[in-house]
Amino acid sequence: MNSVSKMIAGRQAILLASACSALLAVNAPAMAAHITTSDVDAATLTMGVAIDTAGDIAGTWYDSGFVTHGFLRTADGTLTSFDPTGSTGTNVYGVNDSQSIVGSFADGTGTHGFTRTADGTVTVYDAPGSAGYTEIFAINSDNAIAGDYFAADGNEYGFVVNKKGKFTSFAANGARDTSATAINAKGDVAGESTDPDGTFHGFVRTAKGKLTAFDVPGGDEPFADAINAKGTVAGTSFLYPDSNSGQGYIRLPSGTTQTFQVVTGYETDESGLNDQGVVCGDYYDATGRYYGFIRKKSGAITTVDVGGTGSTVCRAINNGGQATGYYYDSQNVGHGYLRNP
């Protein structure tokens, strides 16, 4: 499991635990936005993780045996569950405006990337040189994809497949591990890397191959979650081993980096970014309860508290301001949602 997968799994575990004490929490401010809940039948957790311009949502859901599956919820409310053939666990990470979905799945031979087109066609993807482990984290409007894979030398490499189908593998400045986690309309990618000595860095790699590493002030473990059409990168940075050090960051194309915590001294995780510079994510406060948030370019923050009884996470936001994520109710069941501003 790579650094990104560990981070995602860790967030889910923390959220599951925090939901158990949610009834003791103080409710966040109520929202004026319209919320539509979207659940897969019999799911114990439905997570919206990506949203396209039309408001179609792609995500992952858990069954009663904690096995993961993928789903697509179109803007008209139609919800379709899917798994690549032979999958023992499917995770969805991205969707583009053609309803093409990317992610990874496990089977008896390892972990593979996949793409799923709007007509339901699933294509399994193993990066050339992969030693049984490939993940696809992002897809853009030209169907270019980005992800990572483990090679026989034991190192993790980032990769991009451009709109013409050309595969390019890369390591960030000699890093031991490199993961490309986001891609924009131009084919620029963002991600994170680990040096041989264990030092973490973020990076931006242009479609032409120029790679720039960066660090985030006040943190030594940056994760890049999104890159928009302007080249702005958004993510979360941690200061090891302080569990409350998580801060959202926004790195402009100029290299200027802004950091913030919604509640000072308590972790903020940033997940989504649109072309207007609006970001979304989640945070917690002294009660231990998680809330979603949407932060405008001006710095104004709106709390997202769906249901008012459990914990809420915001994972993605489109250019129209529609957002998706998931929340827990008082029975600790997780529901996906669409938030219309």
Side-chain angles (χ1 to χ4, degrees):
M1 180 178 290
N2 71 357
S3 57
V4 176
S5 299
K6 289 178 181 177
M7 178 181 66
I8 294 169
R11 289 181 184 177
Q12 292 169 0
I14 292 171
L15 284 164
L16 285 165
S18 66
C20 296
S21 60
L23 293 177
L24 301 177
V26 178
N27 287 343
M31 297 181 302
H34 178 71
I35 299 293
T36 301
T37 296
S38 58
D39 289 328
V40 176
D41 289 343
T44 58
L45 170 59
T46 302
M47 302 190 301
V49 300
I51 187 168
D52 68 13
T53 300
D56 304 311
I57 294 171
T60 301
W61 66 276
Y62 286 73
D63 64 26
S64 59
F66 296 100
V67 177
T68 55
H69 312 269
F71 75 85
L72 171 67
R73 181 192 184 275
T74 55
D76 64 5
T78 302
L79 198 152
T80 304
S81 174
F82 67 87
D83 286 289
T85 301
S87 173
T88 58
T90 302
N91 289 288
V92 168
Y93 297 122
V95 65
N96 69 8
D97 287 344
S98 299
Q99 296 180 359
S100 291
I101 295 170
V102 294
S104 66
F105 72 98
D107 64 11
T109 66
T111 297
H112 316 273
F114 73 85
T115 61
R116 180 188 186 273
T117 56
D119 65 3
T121 301
V122 174
T123 301
V124 178
Y125 186 82
D126 292 306
S130 169
Y133 196 102
T134 299
E135 292 183 292
I136 303 174
F137 289 115
I139 184 170
N140 70 9
S141 56
D142 288 326
N143 293 315
I145 59 174
D148 63 26
Y149 69 97
F150 280 94
D153 62 9
N155 294 327
E156 179 185 25
Y157 294 89
F159 74 86
V160 61
V161 180
N162 69 16
K163 63 182 180 181
K164 296 181 179 180
K166 180 183 177 182
F167 169 85
T168 302
S169 171
F170 63 92
N173 300 331
R176 180 188 69 201
D177 296 318
T178 301
S179 182
T181 53
I183 189 168
N184 68 10
K186 299 177 182 178
D188 305 328
V189 299
E192 53 267 356
S193 65
T194 309
D195 290 344
D197 65 1
T199 304
F200 291 84
H201 307 281
F203 71 83
V204 176
R205 182 185 184 276
T206 68
K208 293 183 178 180
K210 180 182 178 180
L211 192 147
T212 302
F214 66 85
D215 296 305
V216 177
D220 56 16
E221 199 169 353
F223 294 93
D225 291 307
I227 180 169
N228 69 14
K230 298 177 181 179
T232 297
V233 178
T236 306
S237 177
F238 299 87
L239 183 62
Y240 181 82
D242 182 359
S243 62
N244 282 327
S245 68
Q247 57 182 349
Y249 75 83
I250 300 165
R251 182 186 185 274
L252 303 178
S254 65
T256 301
T257 303
Q258 306 167 359
T259 62
F260 68 94
Q261 286 186 318
V262 178
V263 178
T264 301
Y266 293 91
E267 183 176 323
T268 293
D269 285 324
E270 195 170 81
S271 299
L273 168 70
N274 68 16
D275 289 340
Q276 285 75 50
V278 180
V279 298
C280 74
D282 59 90
Y283 71 96
Y284 69 88
D285 59 17
T287 69
R289 180 176 165 191
Y290 278 76
Y291 304 92
F293 74 86
I294 294 173
R295 182 183 187 272
K296 293 184 178 180
K297 190 175 181 179
S298 65
I301 292 174
T302 300
T303 290
V304 180
D305 181 19
V306 182
T309 58
S311 295
T312 300
V313 174
C314 186
R315 290 291 300 273
I317 187 165
N318 67 15
N319 287 339
Q322 294 176 299
T324 190
Y326 55 98
Y327 71 96
Y328 289 92
D329 64 22
S330 60
Q331 303 302 311
N332 296 334
V333 176
H335 308 274
Y337 70 85
L338 169 66
R339 179 186 187 274
N340 282 294

